[in-house]
Amino acid sequence: MKIARSLLLSLVLAAGAHAQLGADSLGFLEQLGSDVKIDTDDTQYDAEKGAIVWSGNVHLELAGTEIFSNRAEFDTKLEEIRVTGNVSIYREGVLYRGERATYRVRTQEIDASEMRSAFEPVFFSTDQLDSDLSEISVVNTEGTTFTTDDNPDPDWFIKAEKIEIYPEDRVVFRNPKLYVGDVPVFWLPYLSQPLQEDLGYQFTPGYSSQWGGYLLNRYGSLWGDHSVVQFLLDGRTERGLAAGLNLSSQRWRGNPNFGKFQAYYAHDTDPQQSVVSSRAEDRSGLDQDRYRINFHHRVYLPGPEESTLYVDFDINKVSDEFFYEDFFPSDFRLDPQPDNLITLTKQHERGELSVQTRFELNDFYRNDTRLPEVALDFTRQPIFDTGAFYWGSTTFGIYEDNLSESRLNRLRTQADALESDIRLADQLAARLSETSGLRSPLGLDPANQESRTLLEDLRRQLEPSSFSRLYSYHEVLYPMTLGGAVTVTPKIGGGAVNYSSVDGPEPEHSTRGIFHAGVDVSTKFSKFYDDVRVPGLGLDGVMHVVQPYVNYSYVTADDLGSSFRGVDRLVPTNRLRPLDVPQFTAIDGLNSWNIFRVGVENRLLTRRGSGSHPWLVSNTYFDTFLDDPEFDRDASNLFEEIAWFPLPWLRTNLGAQIPVFGGEYSFTELNSGVTFMPTRDFEFNVGHRFLQDDPFFLDSNLLDLRTYVRLSENWGFSSFHRYEFEDSTFETQQYSLHRDLNTWTAALGFLFRDNRGEEETGVVLSLTLKDFPNVNVPLGIDALGGGN
């Protein structure tokens, strides 16, 4: 905090009769500089010693450092401030506490005795501390006790002759002794421990039914000043030994998408073992040598500074399709079929130009290749000063659709078996015809004709499919307000798609035109109810905002035909499709439509602090189809989305779609959740999913229940239950007992799981060092690794 020199004079006047400062003392205060603030109950000047003495609730702010004490004495000759009595020194998030210290004004260094401090999450006390506070690059201490337990009597601590603390880097111990209680248990002449969680040695022991007993080991160290290298060595009694190497860039620390190289090899002693025994898997071809190689990085051009021109690498080579599921289940849940992409991007305030290559490294996944794809995307932007806006996109690429090897083998097997059945039926029909002299009805059997049609479809899927595609679409919109209350945004756009060099089933139209016209209409009403105050529900006045809206979209596009295999196609979903063509990414699945989307949004806002808080939000909408592009419906389900956040300890949400309009493709879906903490010692979360008559997904009536009870200051109990009412399956039961050991957290857990084929039972004992995860060896049990 900064203050002008004139405040020093104000300080003198404020001291009143207690202040004995003369003109000389004001001159001495000039030595402290202009960025000084002094607050105290009493100020005295000792002319003989050349010292200014502050006493009673002393608070000094100088050079970015704050000092609190009972007494402070400024020696104007030595240019030192000596503080005594309940001393606290605060600098850049670091707090030192002790009984006395000396601050050197000229060098901005601190010399302290019996000081104790905390570099989160580290606590220490020391007989002597010497630190340059102008830039805290190193803190040197002598006779130091070091711990992460913030209790006055810590359960464990390290006592060393000397400690050097490099904030956000490392801690160096000289002759450290580790104490548990008051008993020394370990000694080293020298120890250097990094302060980053990905540095130093970490290990994770545990047991799971898939891995057996396991011990995962990781050691990380800095490579120069720009990268972290980690060495992995893992052992699993059911799967054998594995080793790996990870490289991560410090520049991209905290960003999971860039600056990473990972290599991992496992000699799997049981590759046939499936994680989910109830699922049909063909593991017959798996080798014992299994691996992954991943490279995720962004390179700025020309670099190294950030720029609007850069190259992104997303390279993933895997030995087989089950590797992630077997060894890295958390990665498998996030991205079960990783891509391989190299993208050159140039950004501009009006849009983005990119050149992307997507290639195949893992033939056991279904994917499409783009060698390459060039895209020019324009963001929504004003057209001069007309009030109109423009956005659009143009892409050109060379594409190929590749089925996975396992999928190709299944199709070949089905086609061969069906062809054999048809051939046998034809032979039988020929023999009957020769015997009777009449034409056999078997050749005209509808079932036989259906088989031939199915065989043609299977053979078509087995054909290669590749093509070049040029796509360009552009749209103009003009927002306006009518009568100051109604917002109307008409829009019109057009484009075309051209297919060439087609290898495989041909599209019905090599060039298809696209035309879009639409309009968005909305208005807003609001009313404030200032007298509605219900503190128990977090209401301090209510503003009700109602916003009805209608979106209309008309698209006409030439049909590609059912036999053409595109790469950007529609995937099954329970949600409504976007009505704006630029947001519709399934270019090859774009068909003609004529749709009205009608809805109303309600919001209840209340005062919370200095702003407004969305107490309740509701959005109700549905589509009515004049021309349905997918299922020949007249109307969609009625959608209802509700979020209620009345209090910090109560939140609910509901997402529902109800078949109020009927129709062949109608279904019911309800997704709801409640999180409630009625007391400081009890919290529960209930989640429910109900799905019935969905054309793509199985019926479900799934209930989740999570609870946590704090039994005392040190004990807690938690549970998790998941029950599927549709087939009366108790999928998961989990119970855990937690014990807070100050520095450590212990937990004993019991797990029961029904995998619809094999029941699983587990016991997990974990011991976690809760206050020291970034500076020491964390110990924990993590079933299957990766956060289960």
Side-chain angles (χ1 to χ4, degrees):
M1 187 178 298
K2 296 185 177 181
I3 182 170
R5 282 191 177 91
S6 60
L7 289 183
L8 295 175
L9 181 58
S10 301
L11 181 73
V12 174
L13 296 176
H18 297 285
Q20 305 293 328
L21 293 177
D24 292 341
S25 63
L26 292 179
F28 292 134
L29 288 174
E30 295 284 337
Q31 297 174 248
L32 297 178
S34 60
D35 300 337
V36 175
K37 180 178 179 181
I38 307 171
D39 189 13
T40 180
D41 293 340
D42 185 77
T43 305
Q44 301 286 334
Y45 175 61
D46 189 332
E48 183 177 347
K49 293 182 178 180
I52 301 174
V53 179
W54 299 288
S55 58
N57 297 318
V58 179
H59 178 198
L60 307 178
E61 290 188 31
L62 59 170
T65 301
E66 294 188 57
I67 302 177
F68 303 84
S69 67
N70 295 336
R71 185 179 187 276
E73 180 179 322
F74 177 29
D75 189 325
T76 59
K77 297 177 181 178
L78 298 177
E79 296 188 355
E80 293 180 346
I81 299 178
R82 290 185 288 273
V83 289
T84 56
N86 196 23
V87 178
S88 297
I89 303 174
Y90 183 79
R91 168 81 178 197
E92 296 184 0
V94 182
L95 180 64
Y96 305 85
R97 298 183 185 274
E99 287 303 314
R100 53 188 177 274
T102 301
Y103 178 77
R104 302 183 183 97
V105 176
R106 215 173 262 283
T107 62
Q108 299 181 3
E109 293 179 343
I110 181 173
D111 187 0
S113 300
E114 295 294 337
M115 293 295 291
R116 58 190 184 278
S117 183
F119 285 90
E120 294 270 348
V122 176
F123 303 90
F124 67 88
S125 62
T126 179
D127 297 333
Q128 186 70 26
L129 181 145
D130 187 13
S131 174
D132 180 1
L133 290 181
S134 61
E135 181 180 355
I136 303 181
S137 58
V138 60
V139 178
N140 297 303
T141 71
E142 295 182 4
T144 302
T145 300
F146 182 96
T147 185
T148 60
D149 189 347
D150 57 356
N151 290 318
D153 185 17
D155 293 337
W156 76 275
F157 59 90
I158 295 175
K159 190 171 183 63
E161 291 182 3
K162 184 177 181 180
I163 293 180
E164 299 169 5
I165 303 175
Y166 299 82
E168 300 183 2
D169 186 7
R170 66 189 186 279
V171 181
V172 177
F173 301 85
R174 311 284 180 174
N175 291 317
K177 293 181 182 178
L178 173 63
Y179 288 78
V180 177
D182 295 325
V183 180
V185 297
F186 197 72
W187 170 86
L188 283 173
Y190 175 90
L191 174 63
S192 177
Q193 176 61 48
L195 289 173
Q196 296 183 25
E197 64 179 344
D198 47 4
L199 298 179
Y201 173 61
Q202 300 185 23
F203 63 94
T204 304
Y207 177 85
S208 73
S209 58
Q210 288 81 33
W211 289 355
Y214 63 84
L215 178 62
L216 312 180
N217 300 274
R218 184 180 70 182
Y219 180 79
S221 62
L222 284 173
W223 184 4
D225 59 354
H226 55 80
S227 300
V228 173
V229 57
Q230 294 179 328
F231 302 94
L232 292 78
L233 182 61
D234 303 332
R236 304 170 177 87
T237 58
E238 296 294 325
R239 311 305 287 258
L241 293 176
L245 173 70
N246 295 340
L247 291 173
S248 58
S249 170
Q250 291 290 81
R251 179 177 187 177
W252 298 103
R253 187 181 178 190
N255 188 323
N257 300 316
F258 304 117
K260 294 194 307 181
F261 172 81
Q262 298 170 300
Y264 193 85
Y265 167 80
H267 183 73
D268 192 353
T269 56
D270 190 10
Q272 309 304 320
Q273 179 181 346
S274 173
V275 173
V276 182
S277 59
S278 62
R279 186 175 64 209
E281 295 178 349
D282 182 10
R283 289 175 168 251
S284 57
L286 290 188
D287 192 87
Q288 287 188 325
D289 297 321
R290 307 178 69 186
Y291 61 87
R292 65 181 284 186
I293 300 174
N294 311 99
F295 179 59
H296 309 280
H297 196 42
R298 170 172 290 181
V299 178
Y300 289 105
L301 302 175
E305 296 80 11
E306 291 190 17
S307 65
T308 58
L309 180 63
Y310 52 85
V311 182
D312 288 341
F313 296 89
D314 186 3
I315 311 298
N316 303 276
K317 174 61 180 173
V318 194
S319 59
D320 56 83
E321 61 182 307
F322 306 110
F323 177 85
Y324 281 102
E325 189 174 11
D326 290 348
F327 293 96
F328 295 92
S330 59
D331 290 352
F332 176 77
R333 288 190 294 270
L334 292 175
D335 189 6
Q337 296 188 12
D339 273 328
N340 285 280
L341 305 168
I342 300 177
T343 308
L344 173 66
T345 303
K346 172 60 179 178
Q347 290 183 330
H348 189 270
E349 60 181 7
R350 293 183 175 273
E352 182 178 276
L353 174 65
S354 64
V355 180
Q356 182 181 90
T357 58
R358 182 177 185 179
F359 49 94
E360 182 184 52
L361 283 182
N362 308 300
D363 59 6
F364 37 81
Y365 295 143
R366 177 175 185 175
N367 57 63
D368 57 80
T369 62
R370 301 165 189 245
L371 301 171
E373 181 182 63
V374 182
L376 178 61
D377 298 309
F378 293 97
T379 59
R380 184 177 296 189
Q381 52 197 273
I383 303 175
F384 303 109
D385 296 325
T386 61
F389 290 81
Y390 159 80
W391 63 341
S393 177
T394 298
T395 63
F396 173 77
I398 302 173
Y399 308 91
E400 182 176 355
D401 183 31
N402 299 309
L403 299 180
S404 66
E405 192 62 34
S406 58
R407 172 67 173 165
L408 286 173
N409 290 335
R410 287 194 297 269
L411 289 174
R412 292 189 188 104
T413 301
Q414 294 174 14
D416 291 344
L418 190 57
E419 187 176 24
S420 176
D421 292 341
I422 293 174
R423 187 183 304 113
L424 187 62
D426 288 345
Q427 292 174 356
L428 180 59
R431 291 175 183 174
L432 288 175
S433 177
E434 292 174 358
T435 303
S436 62
L438 299 175
R439 187 177 180 183
S440 172
L442 284 177
L444 302 177
D445 185 7
N448 197 20
Q449 294 301 319
E450 287 184 8
S451 297
R452 295 178 188 276
T453 302
L454 179 58
L455 180 61
E456 291 178 4
D457 181 63
L458 290 175
R459 293 300 186 196
R460 191 162 46 243
Q461 293 184 55
L462 287 169
E463 293 180 18
S465 176
S466 63
F467 55 87
S468 299
R469 186 186 68 199
L470 174 63
Y471 166 77
S472 187
Y473 179 83
H474 307 274
E475 187 170 284
V476 176
L477 54 155
Y478 188 82
M480 51 186 171
T481 302
L482 303 179
V486 180
T487 300
V488 180
T489 306
K491 56 188 74 174
I492 188 168
V497 188
N498 175 262
Y499 298 89
S500 59
S501 304
V502 179
D503 182 10
E506 295 270 354
E508 291 186 5
H509 296 87
S510 59
T511 300
R512 62 190 306 219
I514 302 171
F515 173 76
H516 174 226
V519 61
D520 297 342
V521 181
S522 67
T523 187
K524 186 183 297 185
F525 308 96
S526 64
K527 187 173 182 180
F528 185 61
Y529 302 90
D530 189 49
D531 56 342
V532 178
R533 288 183 171 84
V534 186
L537 292 177
L539 284 174
D540 182 12
V542 173
M543 175 176 282
H544 183 198
V545 181
V546 182
Q547 185 173 354
Y549 59 88
V550 177
N551 301 332
Y552 172 71
S553 180
Y554 170 80
V555 170
T556 177
D558 297 323
D559 191 14
L560 293 177
S562 59
S563 63
F564 178 70
R565 259 176 42 209
V567 293
D568 293 314
R569 47 189 173 262
L570 294 173
V571 295
T573 178
N574 287 344
R575 312 306 300 169
L576 296 179
R577 307 288 186 185
L579 297 183
D580 287 318
V581 174
Q583 296 178 343
F584 198 91
T585 57
I587 297 173
D588 300 322
L590 180 64
N591 294 316
S592 299
W593 70 60
N594 195 353
I595 304 173
F596 281 95
R597 181 164 298 169
V598 183
V600 59
E601 181 176 319
N602 285 271
R603 285 178 292 159
L604 295 181
L605 307 177
T606 188
R607 284 186 292 260
R608 190 68 56 87
S610 60
S612 62
H613 172 72
W615 191 79
L616 176 67
V617 178
S618 169
N619 189 18
T620 308
Y621 58 95
F622 67 94
D623 279 1
T624 179
F625 300 98
L626 303 180
D627 182 8
D628 183 6
E630 295 184 75
F631 306 118
D632 195 25
R633 297 164 293 181
D634 293 325
S636 71
N637 286 337
L638 177 68
F639 286 77
E640 180 65 60
E641 299 170 354
I642 299 176
W644 184 41
F645 310 127
L647 299 162
W649 41 266
L650 174 62
R651 57 189 299 131
T652 65
N653 61 79
L654 170 67
Q657 46 180 315
I658 306 170
V660 296
F661 306 109
E664 182 180 356
Y665 291 93
S666 299
F667 62 93
T668 302
E669 181 180 20
L670 298 171
N671 292 292
S672 58
V674 178
T675 299
F676 185 41
M677 189 175 182
T679 70
R680 63 187 296 269
D681 297 325
F682 178 59
E683 178 180 356
F684 71 87
N685 176 277
V686 179
H688 180 243
R689 179 175 186 255
F690 178 80
L691 186 64
Q692 187 177 59
D693 300 328
D694 188 279
F696 303 112
F697 306 105
L698 296 176
D699 288 354
S700 177
N701 188 2
L702 188 67
L703 180 69
D704 285 356
L705 174 63
R706 302 173 188 267
T707 64
Y708 179 79
V709 181
R710 189 168 69 167
L711 304 175
S712 67
E713 290 298 321
N714 297 318
W715 289 91
F717 176 79
S718 64
S719 66
F720 171 65
H721 300 83
R722 172 173 287 168
Y723 187 83
E724 176 57 75
F725 289 91
E726 187 65 29
D727 59 1
S728 302
T729 301
F730 214 144
E731 293 184 355
T732 304
Q733 302 176 66
Q734 186 172 323
Y735 309 93
S736 300
L737 185 64
H738 310 267
R739 173 73 164 102
D740 189 339
L741 303 173
N742 293 328
T743 303
W744 301 81
T745 297
L748 178 63
F750 300 90
L751 173 68
F752 308 93
R753 181 177 292 141
D754 188 342
N755 295 320
R756 293 178 176 82
E758 179 179 338
E759 294 186 353
E760 180 181 353
T761 303
V763 179
V764 177
L765 174 64
S766 68
L767 188 63
T768 305
L769 189 57
K770 67 177 183 179
D771 290 328
F772 209 25
N774 295 337
V775 293
N776 203 351
V777 180
L779 175 64
I781 303 295
D782 187 8
L784 291 181
N788 274 6

